[in-house]
Amino acid sequence: MPETQALRNKILEHLEEKDITQRQLSLLIDENPQYLNEVLKGKKTGPKANMMLLTIIKVLGIK
């Protein structure tokens, strides 16, 4: 989904800036680490993946 690419990039940049691993993020939002990785890479799309991205934005306070 190209329209979520910018959002996924913003999340990945924030994780790198704050030195947060994807595993730590998966624990924070209570999601499977493998599924989180696939969503952030764009391999998984759809309503559940989009809701996960929005949840991450809210939890991390990304604007």
Side-chain angles (χ1 to χ4, degrees):
M1 248 182 207
E3 61 269 12
T4 62
Q5 181 65 45
L7 184 59
R8 289 185 278 120
N9 287 341
K10 192 178 276 195
I11 291 169
L12 291 171
E13 288 173 10
H14 185 81
L15 292 177
E16 190 173 320
E17 286 174 8
K18 302 295 182 181
D19 198 30
I20 300 171
T21 66
Q22 288 186 20
R23 180 141 184 99
Q24 290 169 331
L25 179 59
S26 70
L27 291 171
L28 185 63
I29 63 170
D30 195 29
E31 258 313 328
N32 181 302
Q34 181 63 36
Y35 186 71
L36 172 66
N37 185 306
E38 291 173 351
V39 169
L40 292 178
K41 287 185 176 184
K43 292 181 180 178
K44 296 287 184 183
T45 59
K48 183 178 178 188
N50 290 342
M51 285 303 296
M52 180 188 291
L53 292 174
L54 293 175
T55 299
I56 293 169
I57 291 294
K58 287 179 187 175
V59 168
L60 295 179
I62 300 173
K63 298 189 183 222

